[in-house]
Amino acid sequence: MTQLSRRHLNFGLGAVALAGLAPASARAQAFPSGDLHFVCAFPPGSGADVLVRYFAEKIKPYIGGRSVIVENKPGALSNVATEYTARSKPDGHTVYIHGASALAANMHLFKNPSVDAGKAIQIAATINKQPTLIAVVATSPHKSVKELTAAMKQKGDKASYASSNPVAKVMGELYKQKAGLDAVEVTYRTSQDALNDLSSGAIDYIMIDNVAGMAQQRAGRLRVLGISSKERLGATGDIPTMAEQGIDMDITGWWAAMVPSATPKPVVAQLNKWFSEIVASEDAKKFLNSFASDPWVTTPDEAQAFFLQQIEAWGEYVRVAKIEKMG
């Protein structure tokens, strides 16, 4: 081979190598190259939908005139939306805003999850932390978890409580076990159905999600006695944790912006920067506090590590709560 030919070959190989490096860099710099699609696992008009649309509006100034389309994909305890996201093109244009703690729980609530969330989903940015609540009707004589526990021990297996979602079910079972109660769980389709029976005295206490529970307390219908997270949260005011009241538990719900796991890291980093700036704003703090939750900002690596820990932790929660897995 002549020297000239070798020079042409070396130049050609170098050009190929550079071409191989260019796409990832170019994709990151050009992101977004089209409209963003925010996926919501619940129907239009739901609390989740309101949250997703809030961030869809707030991210618009960051994306150079592109549109944000909210896609509602309800069904199968969010599995429909999760699978849709996991199978989307991993370019950052499909963003799933949902409870990452719920995804972790679903890995153990179903016999055969359609998606291995720990492998298929990457957390781009965290949004908030939120607890589940234990509450009694506002006219109840019980002012603390300690008082409720003493009263429920006296009632024995005639005591009863309500739950209407997997987290509430786990919290209720852990409370029973750690307090030594024989209370009977009554499962309801919605928290509103449960509240009707609580108000009538048909049940003694309720495990309820933070949004509904705090709204009912503000309306003067409920008295929230404790929260499931290990630490107090600003959004729930002066309400003590269960751990502070002698019931050791740490169940913290959290929402995040998620993308398919193969999404390029520079794109994930860009989404993290945008969402973190929004979440850290005073407007977002006020908005998230209205949902009885606290803003939470982390890096993608920190969030993903916590997500994997939560998947493992939920295996133990489901085992302890003796939850029968769904098909």
Side-chain angles (χ1 to χ4, degrees):
M1 183 181 295
T2 67
Q3 187 174 356
L4 181 61
S5 298
R6 280 196 295 270
R7 282 201 300 269
H8 284 170
L9 176 62
N10 290 337
F11 177 80
L13 290 174
V16 169
L18 288 173
L21 292 174
S25 173
R27 282 197 300 269
Q29 291 175 3
F31 177 74
S33 59
D35 295 339
L36 297 187
H37 293 251
F38 280 11
V39 180
C40 178
F42 295 93
S46 62
D49 182 67
V50 171
L51 188 146
V52 172
R53 291 179 189 276
Y54 173 86
F55 282 94
E57 188 63 32
K58 291 298 179 180
I59 206 168
K60 286 180 180 179
Y62 294 89
I63 58 176
R66 303 289 185 179
S67 297
V68 184
I69 301 164
V70 175
E71 297 190 35
N72 298 89
K73 302 286 183 182
L77 288 180
S78 78
N79 283 332
V80 171
T82 304
E83 184 172 355
Y84 176 81
T85 302
R87 295 183 177 179
S88 297
K89 187 176 181 180
D91 58 5
H93 290 83
T94 298
V95 182
Y96 185 21
I97 299 180
H98 187 58
S101 47
L103 263 64
N106 280 355
M107 292 299 95
H108 303 282
L109 292 172
F110 290 84
K111 294 175 182 176
N112 298 297
S114 58
V115 171
D116 184 340
K119 294 180 179 178
I121 298 294
Q122 166 68 48
I123 310 294
T126 49
I127 291 174
N128 72 344
K129 287 185 176 181
Q130 59 190 44
T132 298
L133 318 175
I134 182 171
V136 293
V137 69
T139 54
S140 168
H142 313 310
K143 303 293 197 302
S144 67
V145 170
K146 183 178 180 180
E147 290 181 8
L148 177 65
T149 300
M152 295 304 100
K153 282 186 175 180
Q154 287 188 344
K155 291 190 72 170
D157 61 6
K158 291 182 174 57
S160 61
Y161 68 97
S163 72
S164 59
N165 63 66
V167 180
K169 187 178 184 71
V170 168
M171 183 182 179
E173 186 61 33
L174 288 176
Y175 173 49
K176 278 176 58 178
Q177 291 183 15
K178 293 178 182 294
L181 302 181
D182 293 320
V184 176
E185 179 193 22
V186 182
T187 303
Y188 293 82
R189 188 177 62 85
T190 68
S191 58
Q192 187 56 52
D193 293 338
L195 287 167
N196 292 335
D197 277 0
L198 183 70
S199 298
S200 71
I203 53 176
D204 297 297
Y205 61 98
I206 185 172
M207 303 297 179
I208 189 169
D209 68 272
N210 56 312
V211 177
M214 293 304 293
Q216 290 294 316
Q217 174 161 282
R218 286 192 292 268
R221 300 187 188 97
L222 281 187
R223 178 184 300 131
V224 178
L225 303 181
I227 63 175
S228 63
S229 56
K230 192 77 170 181
E231 299 175 350
R232 291 196 187 198
L233 298 179
T236 48
D238 295 328
I239 301 170
T241 67
M242 296 293 284
E244 285 179 71
Q245 301 179 82
I247 308 297
D248 183 32
M249 70 171 63
D250 182 13
I251 305 174
T252 305
W254 56 292
W255 278 59
M258 299 170 276
V259 293
S261 60
T263 303
K265 286 190 175 183
V267 173
V268 172
Q270 185 64 73
L271 286 168
N272 179 269
K273 182 177 185 295
W274 292 339
F275 272 92
S276 294
E277 287 183 8
I278 295 168
V279 170
S281 70
E282 282 301 314
D283 185 78
K285 180 180 179 181
K286 182 178 179 181
F287 173 77
L288 292 169
N289 282 173
S290 74
F291 279 75
S293 67
D294 283 2
W296 185 34
V297 174
T298 64
T299 68
D301 287 345
E302 290 169 340
Q304 192 70 13
F306 185 66
F307 183 43
L308 296 177
Q309 291 172 6
Q310 287 283 288
I311 291 175
E312 184 176 348
W314 267 98
E316 181 63 11
Y317 293 155
V318 170
R319 185 192 66 79
V320 169
K322 302 179 180 66
I323 298 176
E324 185 177 349
K325 293 190 176 185
M326 293 173 275

